[in-house]
Structure formats: C-alpha cells, structure tokens
Amino acid sequence: MNVVLHVNGVAHALELDPRRLLSDVLRHDLGLTGTHVGCEHGVCGCCTVLVAGEPARSCLMLGVQADGAEIRTVEGLAAPDGTPHPLQVAFRRHHGLQCGFCTPGFLMTALTVYRDA
Ligand code: FES
C-alpha cells in the first residue's frame, strides 16, 4: 500500500506491506533507530512514539494505520541545532536514564505529561 507518513515534520512517501509494523517502518525503512523495540507485544513501552500527538506503542501499530498522521519520535525532541529538549535535560539531571534502552519510550510518554503540565 502507498502511504505518506509525516515523521518529525518530514513527509515520507512509502510503499508498505500492510503487515509491516510501524516500529519496523521507523527503524528499518526510515533509519530512525532511536525508537527501540523490547518486548514486541505492547508491554514494555520502549517503542512508544507520538501519533497525532498521542502516545502509541509502535510495535502494536501497523505502518499503514499511520497513513497521513503526524508522528514524532525521540529524534524529533531536540532542537534543530542539537539543543536537547528540556525533558531530556531533566532526565539527565535527575539520572532518569537507568540503562537507557527504554529511555526513548519513556521520553515520548513523558512528553505528553510535560505538554499538558
Ligand atoms: Fe515493548 Fe513495544 S516493544 S511495548
């Protein structure tokens, strides 16, 4: 299927197998490997991205379901000049990283709380 995904403000026209997971599209087709994959069944949250402004586990969503949607990944948090997002600064300041594997998903989930605060 032909779809257009708007990821971090950039439109990507893609031809996708309807069964391809959004996490695989982001990581393998678009090279956005900041979105991590852990459990692959919706439990750990590592793969969380924002779809239309809401957190979504990209391992449970098909790429074609995101057709036309605005998607934000962890790569879209920092400013264009590389300045970290205030949430990234807070995670670093308060040692919120642990091993770091799930941090991208934590950041994207926390972003919705930060935004609403
Ligand atoms: Fe664990 Fe998606 S990889 S929730």
Side-chain angles (χ1 to χ4, degrees), residues 16-67:
L16 298 179
D17 181 322
R19 298 169 296 177
R20 192 156 179 78
L21 296 171
L22 179 59
S23 55
D24 289 335
V25 173
L26 293 171
R27 290 181 53 81
H28 302 296
D29 298 339
L30 300 181
L32 297 170
T33 55
T35 299
H36 291 170
V37 175
C39 67
E40 296 188 74
H41 59 268
V43 176
C44 73
C46 288
C47 65
T48 302
V49 298
L50 300 188
V51 177
E54 297 298 325
R57 286 164 291 177
S58 61
C59 74
L60 294 183
M61 186 170 184
L62 300 171
V64 295
Q65 291 178 290
D67 185 22

Side-chain angles (χ1 to χ4, degrees), residues 89-113:
V89 173
F91 264 58
R92 183 173 55 203
R93 182 183 320 124
H94 297 288
H95 308 287
L97 304 176
Q98 300 185 40
C99 79
F101 189 79
C102 61
T103 302
F106 277 34
L107 283 166
M108 300 316 291
T109 301
L111 186 62
T112 61
V113 177

